[in-house]
């Protein structure tokens, strides 16, 4: 008798914990497969320290194969799920297609960026969800301070050294706190000729910083931010973003080249394609994390609406703490369904929260005990070391070195602006030029050049509509609206709309610069066998919704044009707003991007790819074919 097959989609906090616990419980009695875009688990709470130059990127990246020795790792992204056929369809890192059969399926796909219908945000802002985005932000901030130091014009200097962070939850607060310390250290060594200093702004529509925490801790965090010179503006957010600044909801205008989007997240739309009962974008499960009526299907983390047994009628919020605990209970119940152990319901106890504000400052309330100052800093770092599943010694060593040595403020130039668009389904994977097509992967939103700098956030940039070959951004930032409030309010069901801190974000439209290469051009992949409504597989049955439409379906004739009015560009169009589980409309018809003469595959790089070379932002690339540059992650 063959061993049961268990497939886990996603290796965030919930998926990683599920795989690790299942591997221990089953003891080679089941085949466990983990499907994830990267080969590491990202400990996202420490990502702000990567952007600030405290930790090296690999310190917060825990190897999946090294820490899950009895789990088979498959690199790729789930495109669709056939529940009746018991298969998961995925796209690999080099564009290859594959299927994974399962007897038990655990959905832990996590969440995506929550975008709001604010003009210019998708074009000119960057998220903070993955290592590429953290590396880009560190390079970008370093470059802006260096350019500001060399500028003679005070207005240009002020714009370059002004950094705007939207969202005063955990992530936004930590980014602003660490960023202010990083830029202050830079100007102490190399003062600006104009006598100006870097300015950080933290915006949110909430009445106070980190409203999900105890009020005393919120006051502590705000006091630390203001002591470091951070301009904290509560009840204020972005009304419009342009290439040279932002317009705030209070009517004021701020000249800046940097806009960091930390508003929050919404559940990954993959679960919407299943046609199962939903609760505001999350898959409804019972207290045992099992989908009613589907004994083979489990869900945990941000994609699961888990009943809160401590507060009847409510669901557990979308936080990393809950996702980590979901994973353990889910693994126990999956094993119980195979006759190993007993089932148990998910019931949690609040252990408190910790927020690292840089240096010796932090805010924490372990077990409900409010703390601040150096004591809170020690508790916070001790908690992170205990919670990390690996790299503890290396992280502690980096902290020690940072305490005694100055930070290295250099630009590595490894990640370009167009590689980390805000609208991306996988912020943990940076796009690369000339790579093979991956269906539905991140594409650069309109307003970004393929030369390494965006036209909005960087100096000298112009809107995409003014670029040669560019086209207007047809898809306004979608996602969950915040009840009519610009800038957004925290997502319901979670404090502050804060993410579970480990899941991929959304995707931009494929018709924008950096999208899928046409299949008839060099570098493109031959047209797949999947139809517009799903993947044609012999022997698989079921209606499109029952079988789970691929959220990144590919037309046989080539990539689809940019979708209009899509709340979530790059995936199959959905009704705007998280929690909408309605039918997905078909993309509007339009000419194929593969139309026209093919590109010469000779020694010269194709015209539709960014120029090679390590230089950063050499300037806009002149195009002769009137097509946007395309690439792949």
């Amino acid at each position: 008798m063959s061993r049961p097959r268990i497939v886990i989609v996603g290796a965030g906090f919930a998926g990683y914990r599920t795989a690790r616990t299942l591997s221990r419980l089953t003891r080679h009695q089941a085949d466990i497969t983990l499907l994830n875009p990267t080969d590491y688990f990202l400990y996202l709470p420490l990502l702000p320290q990567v952007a600030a130059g405290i930790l090296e990127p690999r310190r917060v990246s825990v190897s999946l194969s090294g820490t899950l020795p009895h789990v088979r790792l498959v690199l790729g992204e789930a495109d669709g799920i056939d529940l009746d056929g018991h298969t998961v369809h995925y796209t690999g890192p080099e564009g290859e297609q594959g299927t994974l059969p399962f007897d038990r399926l655990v959905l832990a796909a996590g969440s995506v960026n929550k975008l709001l219908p604010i003009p210019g945000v998708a074009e000119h802002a960057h998220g903070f969800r993955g290592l590429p985005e953290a590396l880009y932000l560190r390079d970008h901030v370093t470059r802006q301070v260096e350019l500001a130091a060399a500028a003679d014009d005070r207005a240009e200097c002020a714009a370059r050294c002004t950094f705007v962070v939207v969202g005063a939850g955990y992530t936004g607060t930590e980014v602003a706190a660490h960023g202010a310390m990083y830029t202050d250290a830079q100007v102490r060594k190399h003062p600006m000729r104009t006598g100006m200093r870097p300015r950080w702004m933290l915006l949110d529509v909430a009445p106070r910083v980190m409203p999900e925490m105890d009020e005393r801790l919120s006051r502590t965090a705000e006091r630390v931010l203001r002591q470091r010179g951070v301009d904290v503006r509560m009840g204020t957010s972005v009304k419009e973003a342009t290439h040279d600044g932002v317009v705030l909801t209070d009517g004021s205008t701020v000249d800046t080249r940097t806009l960091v989007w930390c508003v929050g997240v919404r559940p990954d739309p993959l679960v919407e394609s299943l046609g199962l009962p939903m609760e505001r974008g999350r898959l409804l499960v019972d207290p045992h994390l099992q989908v009613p009526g589907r004994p083979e299907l489990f869900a945990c983390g941000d994609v699961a609406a888990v009943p809160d047994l401590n507060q009847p009628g409510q669901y557990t919020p979308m936080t990393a703490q809950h996702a980590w605990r979901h994973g353990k209970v889910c693994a126990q119940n999956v094993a119980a369904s195979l006759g190993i152990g007993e089932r148990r319901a998910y019931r949690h106890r609040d252990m408190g929260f910790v927020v690292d504000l840089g240096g010796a400052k932090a805010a924490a309330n372990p077990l409900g005990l409010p703390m601040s100052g150096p004591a809170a800093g020690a508790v916070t770092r001790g908690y992170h070391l205990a919670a990390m599943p690996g790299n503890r010694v290396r992280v502690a060593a980096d902290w020690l070195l940072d305490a005694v040595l100055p930070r290295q403020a250099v630009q590595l130039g490894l990640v370009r602006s167009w590689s980390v668009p805000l609208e991306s389904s996988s912020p943990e994977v940076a796009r690369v030029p000339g790579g093979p097509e991956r269906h539905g992967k991140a594409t650069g939103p309109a307003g970004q050049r393929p030369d390494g700098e965006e036209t909005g956030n960087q100096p000298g940039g112009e809107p995409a509509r003014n670029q040669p070959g560019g086209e207007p951004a047809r898809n306004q930032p979608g996602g969950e609206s915040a009840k009519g409030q610009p800038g957004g309010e925290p997502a319901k069901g979670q404090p502050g709309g804060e993410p579970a801190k480990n899941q991929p974000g959304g995707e931009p439209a494929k018709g924008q610069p950096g999208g899928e290469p046409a299949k008839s051009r060099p570098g493109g992949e031959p047209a797949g066998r999947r139809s517009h409504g799903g993947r044609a597989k012999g022997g698989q049955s079921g209606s499109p919704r029952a079988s789970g439409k691929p959220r990144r379906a590919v037309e046989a004739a080539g990539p689809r044009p940019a979708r209009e009015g899509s709340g979530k560009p790059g995936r199959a169009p959905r009704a705007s707003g998280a929690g909408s589980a309605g039918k997905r409309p078909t993309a509007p018809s339009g000419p194929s991007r593969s139309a026209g003469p093919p590109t010469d595959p000779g020694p010269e790089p194709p015209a539709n790819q960014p120029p090679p070379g390590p230089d950063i932002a050499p300037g806009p690339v002149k195009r002769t074919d009137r097509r946007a540059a395309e690439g792949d992650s």
Side-chain angles (χ1 to χ4, degrees):
M1 182 177 179
S2 62
R3 296 188 297 181
R5 299 162 298 183
I6 305 173
V7 174
I8 303 170
V9 178
F13 279 87
Y16 179 86
R17 186 78 183 277
T18 301
R20 192 173 74 170
T21 307
L22 266 175
S23 176
R24 176 177 56 85
L25 292 176
T26 58
R27 298 182 182 275
H28 307 289
Q29 299 179 45
D31 293 328
I32 305 173
T33 301
L34 181 62
L35 176 65
N36 197 58
T38 64
D39 64 349
Y40 60 83
F41 159 74
L42 175 63
Y43 190 78
L44 201 143
L46 293 181
L47 200 59
Q49 298 189 27
V50 174
I54 300 174
L55 297 177
E56 290 302 313
R58 285 186 295 179
R59 304 297 185 256
V60 298
S61 310
V62 179
S63 170
L64 296 178
S65 57
T67 56
L68 302 174
H70 304 301
V71 176
R72 175 195 175 202
L73 173 63
V74 175
L75 295 179
E77 282 194 272
D79 290 327
I81 300 171
D82 184 353
L83 293 179
D84 295 332
H86 283 215
T87 55
V88 175
H89 308 297
Y90 70 92
T91 300
E94 297 183 352
E96 68 276 15
Q97 303 297 303
T99 59
L100 296 173
F102 65 83
D103 297 304
R104 298 292 186 273
L105 175 64
V106 178
L107 291 179
S111 51
V112 299
N113 285 323
K114 182 176 70 175
L115 298 179
L116 305 172
I118 301 175
V121 166
E123 293 84 358
H124 306 295
H126 284 279
F128 198 78
R129 304 292 308 284
L131 278 178
E133 291 174 322
L135 293 176
Y136 166 76
L137 182 62
R138 183 164 71 177
D139 276 3
H140 173 75
V141 170
T142 304
R143 178 170 57 255
Q144 294 308 308
V145 173
E146 291 172 348
L147 293 176
D152 294 321
D153 182 64
R154 289 185 62 87
E156 179 186 358
C157 179
R160 291 190 185 281
C161 62
T162 298
F163 309 95
V164 179
V165 180
V166 184
Y170 295 108
T171 302
T173 300
E174 290 183 342
V175 168
H178 285 279
M181 292 185 65
Y182 181 62
T183 52
D184 285 346
Q186 281 187 269
V187 298
R188 277 197 296 267
K189 295 182 180 179
H190 304 286
M192 300 182 183
R193 288 188 286 179
T194 58
M196 303 188 67
R197 296 186 64 84
R199 174 193 182 195
W200 284 79
M201 297 182 65
L202 181 62
L203 313 176
D204 203 306
V205 296
R208 57 187 174 91
V209 174
M210 295 188 300
E212 61 275 7
M213 293 192 70
D214 182 86
E215 188 173 354
R216 287 173 293 182
L217 298 182
S218 294
R219 289 197 301 264
T220 298
E222 184 172 348
R223 182 174 65 252
V224 172
L225 291 172
R226 293 190 184 278
Q227 288 174 351
R228 293 179 182 167
V230 178
D231 185 0
V232 181
R233 298 192 185 185
M234 294 293 98
T236 305
S237 190
V238 174
K239 182 179 180 181
E240 181 182 1
T242 64
H243 69 281
D244 56 0
V246 293
V247 179
L248 304 184
T249 54
D250 60 8
S252 60
T253 300
V254 178
D255 293 335
T256 181
R257 300 293 188 268
T258 308
L259 181 59
V260 186
W261 191 254
C262 302
V263 169
V265 297
R266 65 189 181 96
D268 193 304
L270 170 66
V271 297
E272 295 180 4
S273 64
L274 300 178
L276 298 173
M278 310 285 292
E279 170 61 30
R280 299 177 55 222
R282 294 197 282 174
L283 194 62
L284 275 174
V285 297
D286 60 23
H288 300 92
L289 306 181
Q290 194 168 21
V291 177
R294 288 285 181 177
E296 77 283 2
L297 181 59
F298 296 79
C300 55
D302 290 356
V303 298
V306 182
D308 191 340
L309 299 183
N310 294 331
Q311 303 180 52
Q314 298 187 23
Y315 299 92
T316 58
M318 297 163 59
T319 63
Q321 189 178 109
H322 280 288
W324 186 252
R325 298 174 182 177
H326 285 176
K328 180 179 180 180
V329 175
C330 184
Q332 292 174 336
N333 291 335
V334 171
S337 71
L338 301 175
I340 304 172
E342 297 180 356
R343 293 205 311 168
R344 55 172 291 193
Y346 178 73
R347 187 183 297 271
H348 72 94
R349 187 168 77 94
D350 190 0
M351 302 295 292
F353 298 94
V354 294
V355 179
D356 193 326
L357 300 175
K361 301 296 181 66
N365 61 343
L367 301 176
L369 177 63
M371 303 178 65
S372 61
V379 169
T380 298
R381 296 202 167 182
Y383 169 80
H384 287 315
L385 285 179
M388 288 195 67
N391 298 343
R392 295 186 181 95
V393 175
R394 290 185 173 91
V395 169
D398 276 4
W399 283 341
L400 178 61
L401 292 175
D402 180 70
V404 298
L405 297 177
R407 301 181 195 175
Q408 295 177 298
V410 296
Q411 301 179 53
L412 299 179
L414 300 177
V415 182
R416 307 294 183 86
S417 173
W418 62 271
S419 299
V420 285
L422 179 61
E423 298 174 304
S424 169
S425 69
S426 294
E428 67 277 357
V429 180
R431 290 192 299 113
V432 294
E437 175 187 10
R438 292 180 67 185
H439 309 306
K441 282 304 298 174
T443 60
Q448 292 182 343
R449 300 196 306 257
D451 58 4
E453 288 299 327
E454 74 270 31
T455 61
N457 291 359
Q458 299 299 337
E462 296 180 2
R465 57 184 65 89
N466 297 332
Q467 294 293 338
E471 58 182 0
R474 299 178 182 173
N475 51 315
Q476 290 297 331
E480 179 176 326
S481 62
K483 301 293 183 183
Q485 295 183 7
E489 66 180 7
K492 294 182 180 179
Q494 74 177 88
E498 195 65 17
K501 297 195 173 185
N502 60 315
Q503 302 299 349
E507 280 182 4
K510 296 175 181 172
Q512 300 300 342
E516 298 181 63
K519 299 183 174 26
S520 62
R521 298 204 300 264
E525 180 190 22
R529 298 181 179 179
R530 288 158 36 186
S531 64
H532 177 75
R535 184 187 183 101
K537 287 284 180 181
Q540 296 179 359
S541 61
S543 64
R545 289 188 62 85
S547 61
K549 290 184 182 179
R551 51 175 172 164
R552 289 182 279 277
V554 180
E555 298 181 17
R560 302 182 212 170
R563 300 172 173 84
E564 294 196 31
S566 173
K568 184 75 181 67
R571 301 177 190 263
R574 309 176 196 283
S576 63
S580 171
K583 296 181 178 179
R584 299 183 290 173
T586 304
S589 61
S592 170
R593 293 186 66 83
S594 61
T599 308
D600 181 12
E604 292 296 326
N608 67 319
Q609 294 182 3
D615 56 326
I616 299 177
V621 179
K622 301 294 183 180
R623 302 195 52 78
T624 58
D625 58 358
R626 307 298 297 173
R627 290 184 302 199
E630 303 187 66
D632 177 47
S633 56

